[in-house]
Amino acid sequence: MTEAEATPRTGKRVLLAKPRGYCAGVDRAVQTVEEALKLYGAPIYVRKQIVHNKHVVQTLEAQGAIFVEENEEVPEGSTVIFSAHGVAPEVYEQAKARSLKAIDATCPLVTKVHHEAKRFAAEDYDILLIGHEGHEEVIGTAGEAPAHIQLVDGPDGADKVTVRDPEKVVWLSQTTLSVDETLETVARLKQRLPLLQSPPSDDICYATSNRQHVVKEIAADCDVVIVVGSTNSSNSVRLVEVALDAGARAGHLVDFAHEIDDAWLEGATTVGLTSGASVPDDLVQEVLAYLAARGFGDVEEITTANERLTFSLPQELKRDMKAAAARG
């Protein structure tokens, strides 16, 4: 240990995680709603929350987006956008039956899992889908091949699995899970099913993995880790869990800076700060300002990866935007 490391820091500081906030799939989904509002005019209907973030939903509502739970709530012939979490095939059929103009804002990394589910089902595999029961992404993926897919909700769920042929079984996963918990679940499954196959490529998305990795790097140095994100955001909730597992003394999830309890900061010298993949960075900046006002003015950004991935807008929207541009 160097002398600098051995000397306790007296100043209050923030360890700011990077990467944090918006991932490519969220950016694309939010942009899809914004561009649709510009192109077609309000109202634009969105089935479910476009992404799991309270602030984003409120902002888009103010611009003219109307969020609904099901297609039946959308007036016939209107435009509906499907959220970043993906939908089952029957949702497309329902939209067609109501003559809705459907724009699919499903994250391409979720679409990849859907394709894997269809392919393995076509080859008559039993598919073990690791994920959280009731999550929109899980419902959408399971809907691709309901006769072949069974949900495994965490390591303990592995003990309840039954398959037709232990030599013909594969696991897939929700994209926003804890990396470590998923690996633990797979290990438990393999104890019972040694020939369990893995997906052709990792299902947990790069952004989820990256955000968890940097939190692991900073957690042990933090008295408290604050994660900006909504309670229905799976990847945001996981970040708090990862921080605590990696040695943070405390961890809290907040949507906005004003939700921070000053009691969390009492006696703290180091605060870790990150945000879920559906969180715009201005919310993080507001938390930084809040912390600075309470003496945490020394901010050190800890970077473990640089993300450059981008996704193009849905084809149906791009086609209409191009046609509109050509008309002048």
Side-chain angles (χ1 to χ4, degrees):
M1 183 182 284
T2 65
E3 189 181 336
E5 288 172 326
T7 306
R9 294 194 184 210
T10 51
K12 295 178 177 181
R13 61 174 180 158
V14 178
L15 296 181
L16 179 62
K18 184 182 177 183
R20 63 179 180 276
Y22 267 16
C23 63
V26 165
D27 201 23
R28 172 185 187 261
V30 174
Q31 207 182 334
T32 296
V33 179
E34 291 170 343
E35 292 295 340
L37 283 163
K38 282 185 221 166
L39 188 62
Y40 310 120
I44 293 291
Y45 293 85
V46 184
R47 184 184 177 278
K48 308 290 185 184
Q49 290 191 355
I50 186 69
V51 296
H52 286 156
N53 183 262
K54 197 183 287 186
H55 173 75
V56 170
V57 169
Q58 290 170 350
T59 302
L60 292 173
E61 278 178 334
Q63 294 173 24
I66 296 175
F67 291 87
V68 298
E69 283 301 302
E70 298 299 343
N71 286 336
E72 291 77 53
E73 300 168 61
V74 182
E76 289 204 15
S78 299
T79 298
V80 64
I81 296 174
F82 297 147
S83 81
H85 307 103
V87 296
E90 64 183 14
V91 176
Y92 292 97
E93 297 306 318
Q94 293 164 359
K96 203 177 288 181
R98 294 183 64 77
S99 303
L100 302 180
K101 180 183 180 64
I103 296 173
D104 184 6
T106 302
C107 172
L109 299 177
V110 174
T111 301
K112 175 180 83 74
V113 182
H114 282 227
H115 289 325
E116 289 169 355
K118 285 189 282 191
R119 181 165 71 80
F120 283 112
E123 295 171 10
D124 202 31
Y125 274 76
D126 277 342
I127 300 166
L128 307 180
L129 178 60
I130 300 171
H132 296 300
E133 190 167 3
H135 190 279
E136 284 157 45
E137 187 187 322
V138 164
I139 293 167
T141 303
E144 293 286 2
H148 288 264
I149 292 177
Q150 53 186 305
L151 182 66
V152 182
D153 196 341
D156 291 342
D159 302 332
K160 305 181 186 77
V161 165
T162 56
V163 298
R164 294 169 301 158
D165 180 355
E167 293 187 13
K168 210 166 183 189
V169 59
V170 64
W171 69 270
L172 303 176
S173 84
Q174 183 181 330
T175 62
T176 53
L177 298 179
S178 155
V179 176
D180 292 341
E181 187 179 308
T182 302
L183 292 175
E184 188 186 333
T185 304
V186 171
R188 286 274 283 273
L189 286 167
K190 282 188 171 173
Q191 285 172 6
R192 299 186 59 218
L193 300 162
L195 298 176
L196 176 69
Q197 293 187 36
S198 299
S201 61
D202 195 357
D203 283 349
I204 294 179
C205 96
Y206 76 96
T208 300
S209 302
N210 287 347
R211 278 149 194 70
Q212 290 177 17
H213 179 65
V214 66
V215 164
K216 285 181 188 176
E217 288 287 310
I218 66 173
D221 293 327
C222 296
D223 299 300
V224 58
V225 171
I226 294 171
V227 177
V228 184
S230 294
T231 53
N232 64 337
S233 165
S234 176
N235 76 88
S236 299
V237 172
R238 299 291 84 73
L239 285 172
V240 178
E241 295 170 359
V242 167
L244 293 170
D245 287 345
R249 261 72 81 202
H252 301 281
L253 183 68
V254 298
D255 264 297
F256 305 102
H258 66 75
E259 294 174 3
I260 296 171
D261 185 337
D262 283 345
W264 302 342
L265 306 176
E266 283 176 18
T269 55
T270 302
V271 174
L273 177 60
T274 189
S275 57
S278 46
V279 177
D281 207 52
D282 54 348
L283 297 183
V284 175
Q285 297 307 318
E286 287 172 13
V287 171
L288 283 172
Y290 181 99
L291 292 171
R294 284 149 185 82
F296 292 87
D298 177 14
V299 179
E300 184 183 347
E301 193 167 60
I302 307 296
T303 305
T304 56
N306 287 300
E307 296 176 349
R308 295 186 179 87
L309 186 65
T310 57
F311 294 131
S312 62
L313 292 170
Q315 289 297 332
E316 53 271 27
L317 179 59
K318 282 205 304 192
R319 197 169 48 239
D320 287 357
M321 288 169 70
K322 198 172 177 181
R327 289 194 302 269

